[in-house]
Amino acid sequence: MPTDLYKRALRRAGEILGGPGALAAYLGVDSERIAKWTTGGARPPARVVQSVAAGIRHQMLKNCACPAER
């Protein structure tokens, strides 16, 4: 997965959760690590990518107008 996609996914997850601090708490990491990941200074581990993808998917389904999908 390209680094740009990681950065965008992490930023989107931060928006959904209420900011980088909330994302750090959700992932159980410090804010400095979030900053490195969202700027491309480091690549997040697979478990973080999976958690972020699951969180975004959950939010998308929550907002879906399709009750059968929930």
Side-chain angles (χ1 to χ4, degrees):
M1 186 179 289
T3 302
D4 189 52
L5 187 55
Y6 290 134
K7 293 188 306 186
R8 289 190 341 239
L10 286 161
R11 288 182 187 140
R12 180 65 185 128
E15 291 170 5
I16 290 169
L17 293 170
L23 178 59
Y26 172 76
L27 294 172
V29 299
D30 58 56
S31 295
E32 289 177 14
R33 193 164 299 197
I34 296 295
K36 285 182 183 178
W37 293 337
T38 57
T39 60
R43 185 174 174 176
R47 73 160 185 86
V48 167
V49 175
Q50 291 169 345
S51 292
V52 167
I56 292 172
R57 181 180 179 276
H58 173 78
Q59 185 65 30
M60 290 174 67
L61 289 175
K62 181 177 168 187
N63 293 335
C64 180
C66 311
E69 297 282 331
R70 294 184 194 171

